[in-house]
Amino acid sequence: MTPAITTLWSRWLAQLERGPERDAVVVWYAEREPTRISWARLLRAAGVAAGELGSRGVRRGDVCALILRHHPDFFPLYLGISALGAIPSVLAYPNARLHPDKFVHGLTGMARRSGLDWILTERELEPVIHPLVSGAGSSVRGILAPLDWGVLQRDESAPEIADASPEAPCLLQHSSGTTGLQKAVVLSHAAVLGHIDCYAEAIGLTPEDKVVSWLPLYHDMGLIAALHLPLATGIPLVQLDPFEWVMAPSLLLDAISKERGTLSWLPNFAYNLLADRVRDDDIEGVRLESMRLFVNCSEPVRHESHRRFAARYAPLGLGPSTLSACYAMAETTFAATQSPLGKSARSLLADRDALRRGSVVPTTDAALGRWCVSSGVPIRGCEVVVRDAAGAALPEGSVGALFIRSESMFDGYRNSPDETALALRDGWYDSGDLGFVWEREVYVTGRAKDIIIHAGKNLFPEDIEDAVRGVPGVIPGRAVAFAIDDEVAGTEAVCVIAETDAVEAKERAALKLAIMKAAMGIDVTLGRVELAPARWLVKSSSGKLARQANKERLLAGELSGATKTP
């Protein structure tokens, strides 16, 4: 399934030859019938959207940021921007799970650094957005309310669309870093389509596949795997509302069962959510035999998450080789690696102390080991190498920095030459991640900048967080670990913030002690434990708990009543 690389618009138009009335997108809702959009209807509406955009001043090469909730018109609007030769960029919609300061800071910075020309949003959001994207330094020329246009409902013929060059930019996505301003990555038609063809090969894509996804489309996993891959290959996409899914995780399973879905990409926390928060009566009649792959991506893959998910849903027909994983980032368009076909993601129990010293030593003692889960092997056209601090390649079984070279690599961050120079070195991208290769498969162990150096030992915050999150009284999945300078001791103190519903002083004191004991169980002494109310911890745009941002909030005194643990 490897059609020639051309442009997105020509690839989409080719789908009409396979059947104009086939489903292109199925927009799924919690409590009403889905909206089915055929290829004929989608492309006609995309042409109408392109005409409307052009009449309002949008031109080829303009960057159009979309800040829209779950809506059928999103899809023809996105395609219409591309058809016009403009560059779509999906941004996060403000919501209760995104800290207000992060939304304000992010959008203000993007309007000044990413080169956004137009904001496409909802009418009621205009008063919120306008002050953030106007004034000195902003590149934004106007705010449009495209849902007012009703492009899917109109039956008029679309204007002629002039196709672009394969080397022309086709989209702008922002890297999903958890600290600082997100960096803008511009990708060409050739890079996106070339990557999709290589990745389709890695997952064994066929015309019978169907993607079911709740992922937000402002993140590369949702944008490439759950939007561009199905559209470019002509397989249907069933798209859920991310906000509805968080409130009712069983929606994904219901949609898979009813639509006979075969592919779904999920961040690791979703496996825990689906294993723990779905009641039996929520999934009465649901079957999962149709699923070929659940692909774990965007967060460190957890062995326990896969184990619990598999145990929970095997009775519903979940196959033993369904749980796979990939390693991906915006800078390589999407995936760098993928689990081999026909095999579940491999788990390796490695000696924890040896990992801290930079080497992989398998063990059978769970008390001394850390479960590491493979993200698979490099896909075609991609290479992954592990390097030491001096930049020298390390042998298999050594922990170091992960560098990636790909045929679909980005050329650099838009308007950020200094950051580009730091990230790209002789054609290799410094991912900022630590990991190792074992029997040809790539394992990611954490972020280099998050490593805690305490009493001469390198500590992975993921190990500490895993230990703490299992303590009764800590809200599942809601704890972060990071270092705070301890000038008296002359080292970095290990700090944990954990969310809890506990309010009584005696109960909170006991919980802090239990957290410290859990960390001591993996040979880590905590210097500070803080308890936060539910939803206090800030997440990045990709849904990861942002260690640096939460550290800054703590040091700024935002966690009122916080006290050091003696």
Side-chain angles (χ1 to χ4, degrees):
M1 201 170 182
T2 55
I5 295 175
T6 52
T7 65
L8 293 177
W9 184 247
S10 63
R11 187 73 71 89
W12 297 330
L13 285 176
Q15 300 308 324
L16 294 175
E17 299 176 8
R18 291 180 51 199
E21 298 310 317
R22 291 179 302 119
D23 283 343
V25 180
V26 180
V27 185
W28 197 266
Y29 306 100
E31 297 181 349
R32 56 189 172 104
E33 289 299 305
T35 298
R36 295 184 177 275
I37 308 174
S38 69
W39 275 103
R41 187 182 179 200
L42 176 62
L43 293 174
R44 182 177 64 249
V48 172
E52 289 282 0
L53 290 163
S55 70
R56 285 164 169 77
V58 179
R59 298 291 179 260
R60 184 177 293 272
D62 287 355
V63 177
C64 298
L66 297 107
I67 308 176
L68 299 168
R69 284 176 290 191
H70 188 63
H71 195 282
D73 279 356
F74 169 88
F75 300 94
L77 286 167
Y78 186 94
L79 269 63
I81 294 168
S82 185
L84 190 64
I87 305 170
S89 181
V90 186
L91 305 185
Y93 193 92
N95 63 85
R97 294 176 179 272
L98 181 65
H99 194 274
D101 290 346
K102 189 167 183 62
F103 176 77
V104 170
H105 175 68
L107 186 55
T108 302
M110 291 177 204
R112 284 156 178 76
R113 287 185 53 186
S114 300
L116 309 181
D117 295 293
W118 302 89
I119 305 289
L120 278 62
T121 192
E122 299 168 15
R123 181 72 65 188
E124 56 267 32
L125 204 56
E126 284 189 61
V128 176
I129 289 176
H130 185 269
L132 306 180
V133 299
S134 58
S138 174
S139 60
V140 175
R141 289 152 43 201
I143 300 176
L144 305 175
L147 297 186
D148 295 348
W149 306 343
V151 294
L152 268 175
Q153 283 67 49
R154 287 156 59 174
D155 199 25
E156 62 199 71
S157 59
E160 285 291 322
I161 303 295
D163 206 359
S165 160
E167 302 306 322
C170 74
L171 63 85
L172 183 151
Q173 59 177 321
H174 287 85
S175 64
S176 57
T178 55
T179 59
L181 180 64
Q182 289 178 294
K183 298 178 282 291
V185 175
V186 179
L187 297 167
S188 70
H189 292 266
V192 172
L193 291 175
H195 178 79
I196 285 171
D197 293 342
C198 290
Y199 190 54
E201 178 184 301
I203 61 174
L205 197 74
T206 74
E208 287 68 47
D209 276 313
K210 182 181 287 189
V211 173
V212 183
S213 176
W214 59 267
L215 296 171
L217 299 175
Y218 55 77
H219 182 252
D220 57 285
M221 181 164 56
L223 182 66
I224 303 300
L227 178 67
H228 278 287
L229 183 141
L231 288 176
T233 57
I235 65 173
L237 162 64
V238 181
Q239 179 68 44
L240 285 66
D241 183 337
F243 301 134
E244 288 186 344
W245 176 81
V246 168
M247 298 301 295
S250 62
L251 277 175
L252 177 70
L253 307 176
D254 185 48
I256 288 170
S257 183
K258 290 177 178 174
E259 293 289 332
R260 303 293 294 168
T262 64
L263 300 168
S264 190
W265 285 260
L266 302 173
N268 192 84
F269 82 87
Y271 292 80
N272 292 37
L273 202 62
L274 286 162
D276 298 338
R277 280 188 42 190
V278 176
R279 303 188 307 267
D280 288 343
D281 57 356
D282 292 330
I283 50 175
E284 187 175 347
V286 166
R287 300 300 302 174
L288 300 177
E289 287 97 340
S290 64
M291 283 299 293
R292 285 204 307 111
L293 294 175
F294 281 103
V295 185
N296 195 328
C297 186
S298 123
E299 293 184 304
V301 183
R302 313 278 182 168
H303 169 80
E304 180 63 13
S305 302
H306 274 192
R307 188 196 65 77
R308 287 159 56 193
F309 185 84
R312 179 74 170 87
Y313 293 110
L316 303 188
L318 184 72
S321 64
T322 305
L323 301 187
S324 71
C326 79
Y327 176 44
M329 60 220 70
E331 288 81 355
T332 57
T333 303
F334 177 57
T337 69
Q338 171 64 38
S339 297
L341 280 173
K343 299 179 180 179
S344 60
R346 181 182 178 187
S347 291
L348 171 68
L349 186 61
D351 182 274
R352 189 182 300 110
D353 285 337
L355 278 178
R356 291 170 181 171
R357 295 191 299 270
S359 61
V360 180
V361 178
T363 181
T364 57
D365 189 339
L368 300 178
R370 172 186 177 182
W371 280 107
C372 301
V373 182
S374 166
S375 292
V377 298
I379 69 170
R380 179 168 59 85
C382 191
E383 302 170 76
V384 179
V385 67
V386 181
R387 294 181 176 174
D388 64 16
L394 292 170
E396 183 172 288
S398 299
V399 179
L402 296 176
F403 280 73
I404 300 144
R405 184 164 63 185
S406 169
E407 292 177 1
S408 55
M409 184 80 72
F410 78 130
D411 294 324
Y413 297 116
R414 185 178 174 92
N415 301 329
S416 300
D418 291 343
E419 289 176 331
T420 298
L422 289 173
L424 286 176
R425 306 181 192 178
D426 298 324
W428 289 85
Y429 169 63
D430 180 356
S431 68
D433 291 321
L434 296 175
F436 61 88
V437 174
W438 186 262
E439 296 182 355
R440 293 187 59 248
E441 298 195 23
V442 177
Y443 293 73
V444 182
T445 57
R447 295 289 291 171
K449 67 176 182 294
D450 290 337
I451 289 293
I452 301 168
I453 303 174
H454 175 70
K457 295 190 296 185
N458 290 344
L459 306 179
F460 293 100
E462 290 86 357
D463 291 347
I464 304 166
E465 291 160 357
D466 281 348
V468 169
R469 289 168 181 172
V471 174
V474 174
I475 295 174
R478 304 292 295 182
V480 293
F482 48 81
I484 292 181
D485 287 338
D486 185 339
E487 294 182 4
V488 175
T491 186
E492 291 185 329
V494 185
C495 176
V496 163
I497 306 177
E499 289 184 354
T500 181
D501 293 324
V503 293
E504 297 294 331
K506 183 180 292 187
E507 187 180 7
R508 291 170 68 87
L511 179 56
K512 286 187 175 184
L513 182 60
I515 288 172
M516 295 193 75
K517 286 182 177 178
M520 291 174 67
I522 59 169
D523 196 25
V524 174
T525 300
L526 299 182
R528 185 171 177 178
V529 176
E530 303 291 355
L531 301 181
R535 294 192 178 183
W536 187 88
L537 291 170
V538 175
K539 286 187 173 185
S540 72
S541 64
S542 60
K544 303 173 190 175
L545 288 172
R547 297 186 184 100
Q548 184 62 29
N550 286 301
K551 173 181 175 178
E552 291 170 0
R553 293 185 70 201
L554 175 67
L555 296 179
E558 291 188 37
L559 186 55
S560 58
T563 56
K564 290 187 178 180
T565 299

